Amino acid sequence: MNFVKCIYEAADLNDDGFLNFQEFELLVRHISNAKLSESYYRELFNEFAQNFTGEDNEIIQALTVESFTQLTQTYQIFSTDYLQPFAQITHPNGPIGNLSEISPNIDKILNNFKWRFLKRNSWKLHKRDLDEIMEKVKGKVLNPKNPDSVWIGIRLLDEESKLICVEE
C-alpha cells in the first residue's frame, strides 16, 4: 500500500471513505513534517475538499483519496521520514505484530481513548459518534485488512486523546 493511501485510511476513523476536516486535522497535528497554523491547514483543506450530501441531506465538505493525494503531492506536508518515529512499531513482525499484541486488550484500550476524548466538551455532544468510531476501530484491529493503516489509526487516536488530556 502506498504511503498516501495508508495515512488516508488511518485517518478515516469513521470508515466512510472520506476525510472530514477533523480527520484531516488529526493527520496534520500528528504526522505532518511541517508545523502549520490551523488557519493555513484549513485553507489547504478547503482548497481540495469537495461537497457531498450526508445522511440527513446536509452538505459535508470532505477530501476524497484522490483530492488528498493531490493535496499531499502539491504541498508535501507529510513524509514517511516523519511517520516512522510516530508509528512506534515495536514488534519484529511490524504493525500486524503490534495489533496482535493489543487485540486481547482492545476493549480496555479503546475505553481509555474514549474516556480521554470525553474530557473535551465538544466530544460529549457527539458521544454516539465516538462510540461508533471506537466500534469501527475495534473491528479493524480484530480483522486488519491493512495493518499499517490500522496501526497508524490507533497511534493517532492515542496521541490525540493524550493531547486532549494535556489541553484540558
Side-chain angles (χ1 to χ4, degrees):
M1 172 180 297
N2 78 35
F3 168 71
V4 173
K5 188 167 184 189
C6 180
I7 63 173
Y8 182 90
E9 288 183 4
D12 183 16
L13 295 172
N14 63 0
D15 211 21
D16 66 356
F18 302 100
L19 291 187
N20 62 35
F21 179 74
Q22 290 77 16
E23 292 167 328
F24 175 70
E25 181 178 41
L26 197 61
L27 285 175
V28 173
R29 285 168 59 124
H30 297 288
I31 63 171
S32 174
N33 58 351
K35 295 300 174 205
L36 307 173
S37 69
E38 182 177 345
S39 62
Y40 182 70
Y41 62 78
R42 186 172 287 280
E43 283 178 37
L44 292 179
F45 179 84
N46 289 336
E47 180 181 341
F48 288 88
Q50 300 170 16
N51 290 331
F52 299 94
T53 304
E55 292 175 1
D56 299 324
N57 290 327
E58 76 277 18
I59 300 298
I60 299 170
Q61 199 174 22
L63 297 169
T64 63
V65 69
E66 293 82 12
S67 60
F68 179 73
T69 300
Q70 186 180 7
L71 182 154
T72 302
Q73 290 172 343
T74 303
Y75 291 99
Q76 299 180 351
I77 59 174
F78 303 107
S79 88
T80 55
D81 293 338
Y82 198 79
L83 181 62
Q84 295 299 354
F86 174 81
Q88 296 182 1
I89 298 169
T90 56
H91 197 279
N93 292 334
I96 192 73
N98 282 31
L99 292 170
S100 295
E101 284 181 344
I102 69 166
S103 62
N105 298 314
I106 193 60
D107 288 325
K108 182 179 178 182
I109 291 166
L110 294 177
N111 281 333
N112 194 24
F113 292 168
K114 191 168 126 181
W115 176 81
R116 293 181 204 155
F117 276 104
L118 290 173
K119 288 188 162 285
R120 181 169 283 160
N121 286 332
S122 60
W123 274 108
K124 288 178 184 175
L125 300 173
H126 300 283
K127 186 179 178 304
R128 195 177 102 203
D129 294 335
L130 185 61
D131 289 339
E132 288 175 10
I133 288 169
M134 294 302 163
E135 277 303 309
K136 288 182 186 227
V137 169
K138 178 181 176 179
K140 289 179 181 182
V141 168
L142 297 177
N143 186 20
K145 293 182 179 125
N146 299 312
D148 292 341
S149 61
V150 174
W151 179 251
I152 294 165
I154 289 290
R155 291 286 303 124
L156 288 168
L157 285 171
D158 186 37
E159 291 302 315
E160 184 67 12
S161 66
K162 287 176 183 175
L163 189 60
I164 287 170
C165 287
V166 170
E167 290 175 346
E168 297 298 315

